[in-house]
Amino acid sequence: MASFDIVSKVDPQIMDNAVNVARKEIMNRYDFRDTKGTLEYDKKASEVHISMENEMRLQHTEDVLIGKMVKQGLDATALDFSKDHYQSGAMVKKDIKVKAGIDKETSKKIMKIIKDSKMKVSAAMMDETIRVTGKKIDDLQEVMALMRSNSEEIGMPLQYVNMKS
């Protein structure tokens, strides 16, 4: 039986590179002159920490970060902007979580999409991955194409790994 895994992960080194490039651009931009703000990536907690003087600079920093992530080949939907910014003294701070793994709600959506397609494959949840098995590799490739076409409905970047025949 042929199989592959559906996962959602962000390479921490590429994410770190994107944050470093964004930090360099912010320090060189004219509208950020004499800023005391910081942009840091915590690999262990998988979070991006932004600290700026006001909300406008915070928003511009987020935009620069998203642009640099896209240039590095990362999907910007991997960032979780659900937490609001908060005031800390004279600075406005925001902690942005980098999503890793497929949560239960998203895995249920993926399983429903696969079952509704009526393809001759089976899908099983395994922790934060989904294993899809089928008799033909062509069926598995159709499932990959189906997932790519429904990426907006899923709402998170997906990778397809461990293809075995």
Side-chain angles (χ1 to χ4, degrees):
M1 294 281 280
S3 67
F4 73 92
D5 294 337
I6 301 174
V7 297
S8 178
K9 60 183 176 182
V10 175
D11 186 4
Q13 186 61 47
I14 296 174
M15 185 66 194
D16 192 36
N17 290 344
V19 169
N20 288 335
V21 172
R23 184 183 313 122
K24 285 180 184 177
E25 180 176 323
I26 289 167
M27 294 305 151
N28 291 331
R29 278 178 50 165
Y30 181 76
D31 55 340
F32 280 94
R33 288 266 192 254
D34 301 326
T35 186
K36 295 176 182 73
T38 60
L39 174 63
E40 298 170 353
Y41 176 59
D42 184 6
K43 286 184 182 178
K44 289 183 182 176
S46 189
E47 284 187 335
V48 177
H49 304 288
I50 302 174
S51 174
M52 290 290 158
E53 286 95 353
N54 54 40
E55 290 180 36
M56 183 187 72
R57 285 188 176 172
L58 183 80
Q59 183 62 43
H60 286 299
T61 304
E62 289 176 5
D63 294 340
V64 169
L65 177 63
I66 289 171
K68 297 306 172 189
M69 283 180 64
V70 170
K71 283 188 178 179
Q72 293 278 337
L74 297 174
D75 194 341
T77 57
L79 296 178
D80 183 14
F81 290 103
S82 62
K83 284 187 180 178
D84 287 335
H85 59 276
Y86 56 94
Q87 194 75 29
S88 176
M91 304 297 270
V92 177
K93 295 186 176 186
K94 186 164 188 173
D95 300 326
I96 303 168
K97 183 84 175 138
V98 180
K99 297 177 194 173
I102 301 174
D103 58 9
K104 295 252 187 228
E105 289 291 319
T106 308
S107 61
K108 286 179 183 177
K109 284 182 193 175
I110 293 171
M111 301 280 281
K112 184 177 184 320
I113 291 170
I114 291 172
K115 285 183 181 175
D116 289 348
S117 70
K118 304 226 190 303
M119 290 186 207
K120 294 182 180 178
V121 296
S122 63
M125 285 188 275
M126 298 170 35
D127 293 330
E128 295 181 340
T129 64
I130 297 174
R131 166 104 7 117
V132 180
T133 57
K135 290 184 179 178
K136 299 179 185 174
I137 292 180
D138 293 340
D139 293 339
L140 298 180
Q141 289 173 340
E142 286 181 33
V143 171
M144 286 183 200
L146 179 69
M147 290 294 107
R148 286 187 185 105
S149 67
N150 289 318
S151 63
E152 287 185 22
E153 182 181 330
I154 295 168
M156 71 184 329
L158 298 176
Q159 292 85 32
Y160 311 100
V161 297
N162 296 337
M163 182 73 149
K164 296 176 184 170
S165 57

